[in-house]
Amino acid sequence: MDTPAVSQSPTGASTPSPSAWQGALAGAVAGGAALAAGEIVASFAAPRPGPVLAVANRVVDEAPTWFVNFGKDVFGLADKPALMIGTTLIAVVVAAILGVVSLRRPIVGIAGIAAFGLLGAVATASDAFAGVTSAVLINIVAVAAGVATLLMLLRVAHKGRLSPAMPEPIVDDAPVAESIVNPAHSRRSFLGWAGVATGGAAVAGVAAGQIRGRSNAEEARSEVVLAETDDAAPVSEAVTSAASSPVAQTAGITPLVVPNNEFYRIDTALVVPQIDPADWSLTIKGMVDNEVTYTYDELLERATTVEAVTLSCVSNDVGGDLVGNAVWQGVPLTELLDEAGVQPGATQIASRSVDDWTCGFPTDLAYDGRTALVAVGMNDEPLPTRHGFPARLVVSGIYGYVSATKWLSEIELTTLEAFDGYWIPRGWSKDGPIKTQSRIDTPGDGRSIVSGGNVPIAGVAWAPNRGITKVEVRIDGGDWNEATLGESLGVHAWRQWRLDWTPEPGDHTIEVRATDDTGEPQTSEITRPAPNGASGYHTIEVTAA
């Protein structure tokens, strides 16, 4: 059995040399302390990001297409937490390696933590919410905390402890000159100090999250009162009437209007931006006659247009749930564009969020009669922070990756050739019209159902800006059967549908397809979401017993 190496202390005591695991633990704890210190300092200066968030944001912005697609395929909607956790783990693992090397050469650990601090400062300084001064301050504190923790733990690991309970050994009736170190006591002391440091880092991390959670944005949002408008009553009455229809009452069907807390959220923001509307404004610039800027109060007063619009993410698979219908309230985009004066040749409307995410769509689409809003309200309340408060774009008929900018800060008139939004260089199509789609909500795929009785087949279908005129269901490859449509909220909103069926015992395949107002049925061609949206019939399997 191997025994630990020993060294002589200045008093002549035999002191076991620290083990590699002690160096690794010292480095890992020091790395965690550095990250926690950076986060707690950054939380007091919110919305400025801490080191982990800043680095993760740079990964989101700079990652190659294959990495982004890999994250979506593997983690799905958990890709953001996975990136944050992965960034933290990589930092801690590297810090652990530095800790092992630092057992003999502490300067290596100090230099390594300082290098991480420099990386964090560069990443933080490039963030939309930070500046050079705050970036340097945040990361100086992080480095200081990491270095202090590392040196403290290395000192404890090297020091060794004499056990006061151990008597001096006697040989030939004469005391031995050197004291004997108790290795177990030394390890306990090291682990105790490592535990204290880890606990401190954990408390700091939790505190940082709590401090960030107390944002001025939610307090300000709670005081917002949406403008009263004549547009609201007809939409509200239509929603109430439609919700009471037999189709809408089908158990398991998606609501005609999806509640805000259930509405899907897809964006690149690792942490939801917390924007105080008192400090926010929207600027329209670029190829315009007059650059104009609007405050939140100015938009809020003018936000009198109310429309039901279905939004869909281009990443939505056939039958997926990255689609939702809501009632939006805002200012028509064309009103604001006309006040700025769109110049001839401005073929693209580019938009930017407060965290520098971008997208763009053809200018003609804003003027072709579709709903295009700078929205400040969602389902009769101010926009939730996670859905874009204070303001966002809502454009009917095109996927969100080319239009639905949340936390909107800037609109720029430019040309299609001069600008590409965030997702275009990453392999997605420049044009993003939403494809006609339909989905079976009930019965669920793989479910067992009762044969011989009535089984409702129901779901939703959408073709924003065109509308849905027909939905058909096919069972076991037979004839298409037309379903009953729920009431319509207009061509921009999805429609619910239902078909009653009496199944025979056995396994069954159910397919659905929709037809839009132009008379064009959805395609049966199966494609994946990239680069311009999934297509094909949603198909499920059930067993009747």
Side-chain angles (χ1 to χ4, degrees):
M1 179 177 178
D2 293 337
T3 57
V6 297
S7 60
Q8 292 293 323
S9 71
T11 62
S14 299
T15 306
S17 297
S19 301
W21 69 265
Q22 289 175 294
L25 183 57
V29 172
L35 297 177
E39 294 299 326
I40 191 70
V41 173
S43 68
F44 283 104
R48 292 173 177 83
V52 174
L53 178 57
V55 171
N57 278 334
R58 298 289 68 74
V59 172
V60 170
D61 290 343
E62 306 299 336
T65 301
W66 69 264
F67 183 84
V68 175
N69 291 338
F70 172 80
K72 288 183 175 294
D73 291 341
V74 174
F75 299 105
L77 295 181
D79 57 343
K80 294 183 182 72
L83 177 58
M84 296 285 284
I85 293 171
T87 301
T88 303
L89 287 178
I90 290 173
V92 170
V93 169
V94 173
I97 296 172
L98 289 173
V100 175
V101 178
S102 297
L103 287 173
R104 292 186 179 276
R105 298 178 179 176
I107 190 64
V108 174
I110 295 173
I113 292 174
F116 266 99
L118 179 60
L119 174 64
V122 171
T124 306
S126 63
D127 193 275
F129 291 112
V132 174
T133 301
S134 61
V136 170
L137 175 61
I138 290 168
N139 286 279
I140 282 178
V141 173
V143 169
V147 168
T149 303
L150 177 64
L151 293 180
M152 181 272 290
L153 291 176
L154 290 178
R155 181 175 180 273
V156 174
H158 276 287
K159 185 175 181 181
R161 299 290 182 185
L162 290 174
S163 172
M166 290 182 66
E168 294 181 339
I170 304 298
V171 179
D172 294 332
D173 298 326
V176 176
E178 67 174 349
S179 299
I180 306 299
V181 171
N182 182 348
H185 186 280
S186 179
R187 287 193 295 271
R188 286 197 299 271
S189 178
F190 173 80
L191 290 173
W193 281 106
V196 169
T198 301
V203 169
V206 172
Q210 293 296 318
I211 293 169
R212 283 189 180 276
R214 300 194 203 103
S215 70
N216 290 335
E218 279 300 333
E219 182 178 349
R221 179 181 174 273
S222 67
E223 297 175 354
V224 172
V225 178
L226 296 176
E228 295 185 4
T229 169
D230 293 339
D231 286 2
V235 175
S236 179
E237 292 170 3
V239 170
T240 301
S241 174
S244 62
S245 70
V247 173
Q249 293 296 311
T250 304
I253 198 170
T254 302
L256 182 60
V257 174
V258 179
N260 290 351
N261 62 346
E262 297 177 16
F263 202 93
Y264 80 97
R265 177 198 162 203
I266 296 290
D267 49 61
T268 61
L270 297 175
V271 175
V272 174
Q274 304 292 316
I275 309 302
D276 186 339
D279 302 325
W280 174 92
S281 63
L282 170 64
T283 297
I284 300 179
K285 66 178 190 177
M287 298 176 65
V288 295
D289 296 332
N290 305 291
E291 182 173 309
V292 291
T293 298
Y294 300 95
T295 66
Y296 181 68
D297 287 341
E298 288 172 338
L299 289 179
L300 194 63
E301 184 179 2
R302 298 176 57 176
T304 58
T305 297
V306 178
E307 289 275 3
V309 178
T310 295
L311 300 183
S312 177
C313 178
V314 71
S315 298
N316 195 40
D317 285 309
V318 172
D321 59 1
L322 301 182
V323 58
N325 188 60
V327 177
W328 308 92
Q329 182 169 343
V331 184
L333 177 58
T334 52
E335 281 189 18
L336 305 180
L337 295 179
D338 289 345
E339 290 172 4
V342 178
Q343 295 177 352
T347 54
Q348 182 172 203
I349 299 172
S351 56
R352 185 180 302 274
S353 69
V354 295
D355 62 351
D356 280 342
W357 185 83
T358 59
C359 71
F361 60 92
T363 306
D364 290 347
L365 299 188
Y367 286 93
D368 69 357
R370 73 184 64 216
T371 295
L373 298 175
V374 175
V376 297
M378 180 180 183
N379 292 335
D380 298 323
E381 65 178 74
L383 279 175
T385 53
R386 67 193 301 267
H387 290 301
F389 181 80
R392 65 171 293 166
L393 282 178
V394 172
V395 184
S396 173
I398 51 179
Y399 288 115
Y401 80 103
V402 294
S403 66
T405 304
K406 302 172 186 172
W407 314 291
L408 181 65
S409 67
E410 184 178 282
I411 294 173
E412 181 177 2
L413 276 296
T414 181
T415 66
L416 289 167
E417 298 77 20
F419 176 82
D420 285 332
Y422 178 88
W423 285 109
I424 309 309
R426 290 164 172 79
W428 295 82
S429 174
K430 183 95 168 177
D431 298 321
I434 296 178
K435 298 178 180 179
T436 301
Q437 276 288 357
S438 52
R439 184 181 72 202
I440 301 169
D441 290 334
T442 184
D445 189 25
R447 295 294 179 87
S448 294
I449 57 178
V450 178
S451 62
N454 179 62
V455 173
I457 305 170
V460 289
W462 59 94
N465 203 45
R466 301 183 301 279
I468 295 293
T469 56
K470 183 167 62 174
V471 172
E472 298 168 289
V473 176
R474 180 166 64 183
I475 299 170
D476 297 331
D479 296 330
W480 288 102
N481 300 286
E482 188 167 347
T484 300
L485 293 178
E487 294 187 35
S488 173
L489 295 182
V491 297
H492 306 299
W494 66 16
R495 295 189 73 172
Q496 298 168 310
W497 57 267
R498 169 174 171 156
L499 178 74
D500 290 325
W501 172 49
T502 303
E504 297 180 355
D507 297 330
H508 300 281
T509 300
I510 305 174
E511 302 168 273
V512 63
R513 72 178 182 187
T515 299
D516 66 25
D517 277 3
T518 70
E520 186 71 22
Q522 72 178 85
T523 178
S524 61
E525 179 184 2
I526 298 174
T527 62
R528 290 182 54 78
N532 59 0
S535 66
Y537 299 154
H538 186 208
T539 304
I540 66 169
E541 305 283 341
V542 297
T543 299

